[in-house]
Amino acid sequence: MRKPVSTTSVHPRPREGQPLAVLFAGHSQTEPLHRMGPQKLDSILVHTVIDGKGTYRCRDSDYELGAGDSFFIFPGELHTYQADGEQPWRYRWIAFRGPEADRWLLMAGITPDRPLVRGGEDVPLRAASAIEKLFRIGDWTADWEAEGWLRLAFAAWARTNRPKGPPPSESGRSVASIEADRAARWLQAQLANPVSIAQMAKELGYHRTYLTKLFSRERGMSPVRYLQQQRMGRAKLLLKEPLTVEEVAAATGYGDPLYFSKSFKRWVGCTPTEYRQSQR
DNA sequence: TTGCACGAGTATAGATTGCC
DNA sequence: GGCAATCTATACTCGTGCAA
């Protein structure tokens, strides 16, 4: 068995507000049954398995992974991952964030509900290795090179994950429909965070009033109602886990568990505790 | 596509109660 | 005692109509 080892190189001069920011990269040879989580992150973290096996758990789903597979952890998503007991995995990771990254993930067909890319090319592993070295050296050009490597990795994931054809944003849909989808994805990515519609509008480059109207027209419900619907769906899943109501409230963007309980009852018709008991 | 105004609805905080 | 739910008051945000 290999000796457990883990190294990480972080960006030497991280800056806020970039469309795409590569934050750190590293690699690990884990111990048998080595486990991370349950936890939540504030950036996107992708692991690509070099060899060995392990399990990734997210949104009430378990994924078995092996060599060549990549799994994506989205910001605010409660998750765990654990090495196999007999063949603990060895993997490389890259952490990044920014609206550009969100767009690439969508185009590659990678979402919190489909957080895997099975097998495929070795480019992501080479990218993670290169970025780790770049950040260790700390040269001022590291930003450019790291972004370039991440682009190559995304191209590889997209080739593996998506059937041939135009990217989703170019398939003949209206601009309003595409923008409503963008807004919906933004809201989905913020399920665990207290956010406002004004904040969303600002980040997507539209006026609050206009975006609200556009969203309501395309989706048949207001952005706030959509956000609540998604949060309650998530809450129902999390209530099947051994988490307190307070933890479920926090994981669904409610700072106040009391208010969460009240909202849950209004949506579902029973309190979180009653819902949990009914599912047993 | 933006900005304003306004009513309606939502979020929050604190106090209290009930259950295990 | 700890956790969860309820009630109330208040502040804030949202959705919508309208004008530009």
Side-chain angles (χ1 to χ4, degrees):
Chain A
M1 179 151 329
R2 291 191 185 88
K3 192 178 164 188
V5 62
S6 180
T7 68
T8 304
S9 297
V10 299
H11 191 299
R13 299 172 200 83
R15 284 176 290 156
E16 290 301 319
Q18 290 176 275
L20 174 71
V22 184
L23 304 173
F24 55 86
H27 71 277
S28 275
Q29 166 62 64
T30 58
E31 294 183 67
L33 299 176
H34 172 263
R35 176 180 167 131
M36 297 290 284
Q39 61 184 3
K40 290 190 282 185
L41 305 179
D42 59 4
S43 57
I44 301 158
L45 181 61
V46 53
H47 289 73
T48 303
V49 181
I50 303 168
D51 51 32
K53 293 190 289 188
T55 308
Y56 172 45
R57 181 172 178 77
C58 176
R59 289 205 173 180
D60 211 29
S61 296
D62 290 306
Y63 306 98
E64 303 289 334
L65 294 117
D69 295 341
S70 298
F71 64 97
F72 292 74
I73 300 168
F74 286 78
E77 294 286 338
L78 192 68
H79 67 275
T80 57
Y81 50 104
Q82 183 169 11
D84 185 70
E86 311 244 315
Q87 302 172 55
W89 52 13
R90 190 160 58 114
Y91 48 50
R92 291 190 176 277
W93 63 80
I94 309 172
F96 52 94
R97 65 171 166 232
E100 188 72 356
D102 297 340
R103 198 170 65 85
W104 291 355
L105 285 165
L106 171 80
M107 292 175 76
I110 300 160
T111 66
D113 290 316
R114 289 187 57 200
L116 299 191
V117 176
R118 294 281 186 193
E121 308 172 26
D122 68 346
V123 179
L125 283 174
R126 287 197 281 135
S129 172
I131 293 169
E132 187 181 355
K133 284 178 194 160
L134 281 170
F135 286 174
R136 199 176 303 138
I137 296 165
D139 186 83
W140 68 274
T141 60
D143 249 359
W144 295 346
E145 284 196 68
E147 186 181 323
W149 275 109
L150 190 59
R151 280 179 186 273
L152 290 172
F154 262 103
W157 286 319
R159 276 193 294 271
T160 306
N161 212 32
R162 276 203 168 278
K164 287 187 167 47
S169 61
E170 295 173 8
S171 51
R173 294 157 60 213
S174 69
V175 172
S177 169
I178 292 166
E179 292 306 307
D181 276 0
R182 268 184 82 206
R185 285 196 307 279
W186 191 93
L187 291 170
Q188 280 177 5
Q190 307 297 330
L191 291 188
N193 306 317
V195 293
S196 70
I197 301 307
Q199 186 186 349
M200 174 180 76
K202 187 181 174 188
E203 292 207 14
L204 297 183
Y206 288 95
H207 191 271
R208 177 182 75 83
T209 307
Y210 177 68
L211 192 62
T212 296
K213 287 173 184 171
L214 181 152
F215 191 97
S216 301
R217 195 173 62 236
E218 293 294 324
R219 291 271 170 167
M221 68 178 82
S222 72
V224 166
R225 194 158 179 81
Y226 176 80
L227 182 61
Q228 287 172 333
Q229 184 192 64
Q230 296 296 310
R231 280 177 167 163
M232 289 307 156
R234 168 89 71 91
K236 282 182 179 176
L237 289 176
L238 292 177
L239 283 168
K240 294 172 185 171
E241 302 292 325
L243 300 168
T244 64
V245 172
E246 191 170 352
E247 286 170 325
V248 175
T252 47
Y254 286 86
D256 181 1
L258 308 183
Y259 183 70
F260 164 71
S261 180
K262 197 170 163 183
S263 298
F264 190 90
K265 187 171 184 179
R266 196 167 56 233
W267 268 85
V268 182
C270 61
T271 65
T273 306
E274 289 167 351
Y275 179 80
R276 171 172 277 161
Q277 285 164 350
S278 74
Q279 297 298 304
R280 289 197 174 126

